[in-house]
Amino acid sequence: MRSVGRIECIQLADVDWIETCGNYVSLHLGTRSVMHRLPLSRLLGHLDPARFLRVHRGAVVRTSQAANLDVVGDGAWRLTLRSGAHVAVSERYVDALRAAMRER
């Protein structure tokens, strides 16, 4: 992965979750984040669907990192990851996320 004058190899095994930031994605790796100029739609084609799950229009999580799923409002959901990070979950993806969490 190339980043402002440097190239860094990121292992997918180190990625906890991914969020969109315009034409970029932010790869969340434990305590740090790395930006990469690639739309989420293109990145999704390279991710193993058995390990990564889209939970929102702008977020994908590693299913093994999912800890708790909570209702936070009228139809709003929030996923807490093992790292303590919180990720918004769309109602559209809740059932798939629940199923993935049960399968673990």
Side-chain angles (χ1 to χ4, degrees), residues 67-73 76-80 86-87 89 94 97 101:
N68 298 308
L69 179 62
D70 301 300
V71 176
V72 292
W77 295 84
R78 180 180 66 194
L79 177 65
T80 303
H86 298 288
V87 180
V89 178
V94 167
L97 178 58
M101 289 176 75

mmCIF file of all heavy atoms in Angstrom, residues 67-73 76-80 86-87 89 94 97 101:
data_model
loop_
_atom_site.group_PDB
_atom_site.id
_atom_site.type_symbol
_atom_site.label_atom_id
_atom_site.label_comp_id
_atom_site.label_asym_id
_atom_site.label_seq_id
_atom_site.Cartn_x
_atom_site.Cartn_y
_atom_site.Cartn_z
ATOM 1 N N ALA A 67 -17.784 -7.957 19.034
ATOM 2 C CA ALA A 67 -17.968 -8.343 20.431
ATOM 3 C C ALA A 67 -19.422 -8.209 20.860
ATOM 4 O O ALA A 67 -20.001 -9.159 21.365
ATOM 5 C CB ALA A 67 -17.068 -7.500 21.331
ATOM 6 N N ASN A 68 -20.031 -7.030 20.670
ATOM 7 C CA ASN A 68 -21.408 -6.779 21.103
ATOM 8 C C ASN A 68 -22.162 -5.965 20.068
ATOM 9 O O ASN A 68 -21.609 -5.042 19.484
ATOM 10 C CB ASN A 68 -21.435 -5.979 22.418
ATOM 11 C CG ASN A 68 -20.785 -6.702 23.551
ATOM 12 O OD1 ASN A 68 -21.109 -7.853 23.821
ATOM 13 N ND2 ASN A 68 -19.857 -6.039 24.215
ATOM 14 N N LEU A 69 -23.435 -6.288 19.911
ATOM 15 C CA LEU A 69 -24.323 -5.545 19.020
ATOM 16 C C LEU A 69 -25.437 -4.969 19.879
ATOM 17 O O LEU A 69 -26.120 -5.708 20.585
ATOM 18 C CB LEU A 69 -24.888 -6.474 17.945
ATOM 19 C CG LEU A 69 -25.849 -5.860 16.945
ATOM 20 C CD1 LEU A 69 -25.162 -4.757 16.132
ATOM 21 C CD2 LEU A 69 -26.414 -6.930 16.022
ATOM 22 N N ASP A 70 -25.602 -3.649 19.833
ATOM 23 C CA ASP A 70 -26.584 -2.973 20.675
ATOM 24 C C ASP A 70 -27.479 -2.053 19.860
ATOM 25 O O ASP A 70 -27.035 -1.454 18.883
ATOM 26 C CB ASP A 70 -25.884 -2.111 21.736
ATOM 27 C CG ASP A 70 -24.982 -2.904 22.638
ATOM 28 O OD1 ASP A 70 -25.503 -3.814 23.316
ATOM 29 O OD2 ASP A 70 -23.768 -2.629 22.674
ATOM 30 N N VAL A 71 -28.736 -1.934 20.315
ATOM 31 C CA VAL A 71 -29.652 -0.929 19.767
ATOM 32 C C VAL A 71 -29.328 0.372 20.481
ATOM 33 O O VAL A 71 -29.235 0.403 21.707
ATOM 34 C CB VAL A 71 -31.127 -1.317 20.027
ATOM 35 C CG1 VAL A 71 -32.048 -0.227 19.547
ATOM 36 C CG2 VAL A 71 -31.461 -2.631 19.374
ATOM 37 N N VAL A 72 -29.146 1.442 19.726
ATOM 38 C CA VAL A 72 -28.792 2.730 20.333
ATOM 39 C C VAL A 72 -29.809 3.822 20.054
ATOM 40 O O VAL A 72 -29.598 4.965 20.401
ATOM 41 C CB VAL A 72 -27.385 3.196 19.897
ATOM 42 C CG1 VAL A 72 -26.325 2.288 20.466
ATOM 43 C CG2 VAL A 72 -27.281 3.274 18.395
ATOM 44 N N GLY A 73 -30.885 3.461 19.427
ATOM 45 C CA GLY A 73 -31.908 4.450 19.129
ATOM 46 C C GLY A 73 -33.005 3.814 18.316
ATOM 47 O O GLY A 73 -33.098 2.596 18.215
ATOM 48 N N ALA A 76 -31.510 2.304 15.165
ATOM 49 C CA ALA A 76 -30.067 2.468 15.008
ATOM 50 C C ALA A 76 -29.345 1.383 15.803
ATOM 51 O O ALA A 76 -29.751 1.035 16.907
ATOM 52 C CB ALA A 76 -29.637 3.846 15.485
ATOM 53 N N TRP A 77 -28.273 0.855 15.231
ATOM 54 C CA TRP A 77 -27.499 -0.218 15.851
ATOM 55 C C TRP A 77 -26.042 0.190 15.937
ATOM 56 O O TRP A 77 -25.550 0.961 15.113
ATOM 57 C CB TRP A 77 -27.605 -1.491 15.020
ATOM 58 C CG TRP A 77 -28.977 -2.053 14.957
ATOM 59 C CD1 TRP A 77 -29.979 -1.682 14.099
ATOM 60 C CD2 TRP A 77 -29.529 -3.066 15.792
ATOM 61 N NE1 TRP A 77 -31.104 -2.418 14.346
ATOM 62 C CE2 TRP A 77 -30.864 -3.286 15.384
ATOM 63 C CE3 TRP A 77 -29.018 -3.827 16.831
ATOM 64 C CZ2 TRP A 77 -31.682 -4.218 15.980
ATOM 65 C CZ3 TRP A 77 -29.836 -4.773 17.431
ATOM 66 C CH2 TRP A 77 -31.158 -4.952 17.004
ATOM 67 N N ARG A 78 -25.351 -0.358 16.933
ATOM 68 C CA ARG A 78 -23.927 -0.090 17.091
ATOM 69 C C ARG A 78 -23.215 -1.386 17.447
ATOM 70 O O ARG A 78 -23.626 -2.106 18.353
ATOM 71 C CB ARG A 78 -23.697 0.941 18.181
ATOM 72 C CG ARG A 78 -22.219 1.251 18.388
ATOM 73 C CD ARG A 78 -21.994 2.255 19.461
ATOM 74 N NE ARG A 78 -22.394 1.669 20.736
ATOM 75 C CZ ARG A 78 -22.570 2.366 21.846
ATOM 76 N NH1 ARG A 78 -22.422 3.670 21.837
ATOM 77 N NH2 ARG A 78 -22.917 1.761 22.966
ATOM 78 N N LEU A 79 -22.142 -1.646 16.735
ATOM 79 C CA LEU A 79 -21.308 -2.811 16.987
ATOM 80 C C LEU A 79 -20.080 -2.367 17.768
ATOM 81 O O LEU A 79 -19.420 -1.398 17.386
ATOM 82 C CB LEU A 79 -20.878 -3.453 15.662
ATOM 83 C CG LEU A 79 -19.935 -4.643 15.747
ATOM 84 C CD1 LEU A 79 -20.619 -5.821 16.441
ATOM 85 C CD2 LEU A 79 -19.454 -5.035 14.361
ATOM 86 N N THR A 80 -19.797 -3.059 18.854
ATOM 87 C CA THR A 80 -18.569 -2.815 19.603
ATOM 88 C C THR A 80 -17.594 -3.929 19.238
ATOM 89 O O THR A 80 -17.943 -5.106 19.290
ATOM 90 C CB THR A 80 -18.827 -2.831 21.122
ATOM 91 O OG1 THR A 80 -19.825 -1.853 21.424
ATOM 92 C CG2 THR A 80 -17.552 -2.515 21.891
ATOM 93 N N HIS A 86 -16.275 1.487 18.152
ATOM 94 C CA HIS A 86 -17.701 1.399 17.875
ATOM 95 C C HIS A 86 -17.933 1.661 16.390
ATOM 96 O O HIS A 86 -17.380 2.605 15.839
ATOM 97 C CB HIS A 86 -18.491 2.415 18.701
ATOM 98 C CG HIS A 86 -18.382 2.198 20.167
ATOM 99 N ND1 HIS A 86 -19.003 1.149 20.812
ATOM 100 C CD2 HIS A 86 -17.705 2.875 21.115
ATOM 101 C CE1 HIS A 86 -18.722 1.205 22.094
ATOM 102 N NE2 HIS A 86 -17.930 2.238 22.304
ATOM 103 N N VAL A 87 -18.760 0.821 15.769
ATOM 104 C CA VAL A 87 -19.054 0.931 14.344
ATOM 105 C C VAL A 87 -20.567 0.963 14.174
ATOM 106 O O VAL A 87 -21.270 0.095 14.712
ATOM 107 C CB VAL A 87 -18.461 -0.263 13.558
ATOM 108 C CG1 VAL A 87 -18.756 -0.139 12.080
ATOM 109 C CG2 VAL A 87 -16.959 -0.387 13.813
ATOM 110 N N VAL A 89 -24.062 0.269 12.504
ATOM 111 C CA VAL A 89 -24.574 -0.853 11.719
ATOM 112 C C VAL A 89 -25.926 -0.446 11.153
ATOM 113 O O VAL A 89 -26.800 -0.005 11.893
ATOM 114 C CB VAL A 89 -24.727 -2.129 12.586
ATOM 115 C CG1 VAL A 89 -25.316 -3.268 11.767
ATOM 116 C CG2 VAL A 89 -23.389 -2.529 13.187
ATOM 117 N N VAL A 94 -28.102 -5.915 9.759
ATOM 118 C CA VAL A 94 -28.174 -6.474 11.116
ATOM 119 C C VAL A 94 -28.350 -7.991 11.112
ATOM 120 O O VAL A 94 -27.663 -8.703 11.859
ATOM 121 C CB VAL A 94 -29.298 -5.795 11.931
ATOM 122 C CG1 VAL A 94 -29.595 -6.557 13.206
ATOM 123 C CG2 VAL A 94 -28.909 -4.371 12.257
ATOM 124 N N LEU A 97 -25.169 -9.776 10.223
ATOM 125 C CA LEU A 97 -24.196 -9.646 11.306
ATOM 126 C C LEU A 97 -24.530 -10.570 12.468
ATOM 127 O O LEU A 97 -23.660 -11.252 13.002
ATOM 128 C CB LEU A 97 -24.116 -8.196 11.776
ATOM 129 C CG LEU A 97 -23.172 -7.922 12.941
ATOM 130 C CD1 LEU A 97 -21.742 -8.356 12.608
ATOM 131 C CD2 LEU A 97 -23.216 -6.451 13.329
ATOM 132 N N MET A 101 -22.183 -13.572 13.900
ATOM 133 C CA MET A 101 -21.750 -13.612 15.302
ATOM 134 C C MET A 101 -22.145 -14.945 15.953
ATOM 135 O O MET A 101 -21.420 -15.459 16.792
ATOM 136 C CB MET A 101 -22.337 -12.428 16.069
ATOM 137 C CG MET A 101 -21.709 -11.100 15.666
ATOM 138 S SD MET A 101 -22.475 -9.665 16.468
ATOM 139 C CE MET A 101 -21.792 -9.821 18.127
#
